[in-house]
Amino acid sequence: MSAAQILYVVFGSIAVLAIIFLCVFFPVRRVVLRNHYHYFDYRIIHKIAVVYDYYLINNFSFIASTGEKKNIDHILFANKYIYLINDECYKGDIEGTPKDLSLVEYTKDGRHYIDNPYMSINSTMKEASKMTGLDESLLIGVVIVNDECKVGVTSDSKTIYLIQRRKFKKLIKAIESRDVGLLNPDELASAVKTLDNINLRKGDKK
């Protein structure tokens, strides 16, 4: 076998292996991200909490004034706002408006209607305000969705956001740069204590 033939076989084998790797890697990666989206969201939020010395409560659950159980995946106590964050993972792209009872999800199987996460996080924010005594203007609601999901939801809200995971850090930086005062330390400490006391699921804290 000549040198040229050997090179052809070697590079041909490498090309075949590369194609096989790419065919396997991306589908497996999508499955892992979809099945463990809570963890990947947590990892980004936790990193922000560590870098900026914010306080973080995870896996928060409480009984609202209506008797309904409310769940919040993460509560991030920053310098100017308190962020109530929920994780969502969708198979397709979503469209709609914050006021719609349902959003439309487009998947390879067609068009489906899903619960509007804006409604849920808005209700949770109001109840959290009641439970802590914090002014609702100090609360920011964020719904993090997987990066593969294209968000076609139009909103001009400055307090509730539906955003892809990769854009979360930039969002926090933008909100925390607003020209508003810092949270009152005593008020913040009281809110942390109240939320910790009513938490039905004592989660990880930082």
Side-chain angles (χ1 to χ4, degrees):
M1 184 178 291
S2 67
Q5 289 175 318
I6 293 174
L7 288 174
Y8 178 81
V9 171
V10 170
F11 285 110
S13 300
I14 292 173
V16 170
L17 289 173
I19 292 172
I20 293 174
F21 172 78
L22 292 175
C23 289
V24 173
F25 174 76
F26 289 106
V28 170
R29 180 177 181 272
R30 281 196 295 270
V31 171
V32 171
L33 289 173
R34 187 170 296 161
N35 290 342
H36 301 281
Y37 67 96
H38 282 296
Y39 168 73
F40 290 105
D41 289 352
Y42 161 76
R43 201 166 64 170
I44 289 178
I45 299 167
H46 181 260
K47 184 176 181 179
I48 291 173
V50 170
V51 170
Y52 295 101
D53 197 28
Y54 295 159
Y55 190 81
L56 177 63
I57 296 178
N58 299 295
N59 301 320
F60 183 82
S61 180
F62 69 103
I63 302 298
S65 60
T66 58
E68 179 185 4
K69 185 178 180 181
K70 296 283 188 180
N71 299 314
I72 308 173
D73 293 318
H74 321 276
I75 303 178
L76 183 67
F77 300 85
N79 292 328
K80 297 181 178 180
Y81 294 94
I82 298 173
Y83 300 84
L84 309 185
I85 307 163
N86 278 338
D87 309 322
E88 293 290 349
C89 184
Y90 298 111
K91 293 181 179 180
D93 303 330
I94 55 177
E95 289 185 357
T97 71
K99 295 182 179 180
D100 294 336
L101 293 178
S102 301
L103 297 183
V104 180
E105 181 183 16
Y106 296 93
T107 70
K108 63 181 181 180
D109 298 321
R111 171 175 168 167
H112 310 277
Y113 289 95
I114 58 175
D115 291 339
N116 189 339
Y118 277 95
M119 297 287 189
S120 176
I121 197 72
N122 183 51
S123 172
T124 300
M125 288 168 65
K126 293 183 183 300
E127 288 296 332
S129 176
K130 289 180 184 178
M131 299 297 291
T132 61
L134 285 170
D135 192 299
E136 197 174 332
S137 65
L138 300 177
L139 303 178
I140 299 290
V142 183
V143 179
I144 300 178
V145 302
N146 46 308
D147 289 333
E148 298 78 18
C149 171
K150 293 180 181 179
V151 180
V153 180
T154 54
S155 171
D156 57 0
S157 174
K158 300 299 182 184
T159 57
I160 300 179
Y161 297 87
L162 181 63
I163 192 168
Q164 291 170 311
R165 182 186 297 121
R166 66 173 178 266
K167 297 179 180 179
F168 178 75
K169 182 179 179 180
K170 186 177 180 180
L171 173 68
I172 298 300
K173 282 187 175 182
I175 295 176
E176 287 296 305
S177 68
R178 291 178 183 174
D179 188 19
V180 299
L182 299 176
L183 291 171
N184 181 291
D186 294 333
E187 192 175 24
L188 180 60
S190 176
V192 170
K193 184 176 180 180
T194 300
L195 289 170
D196 188 52
N197 288 337
I198 66 174
N199 190 4
L200 300 178
R201 301 184 300 180
K202 296 291 183 180
D204 299 326
K205 307 178 188 70
K206 185 266 173 192

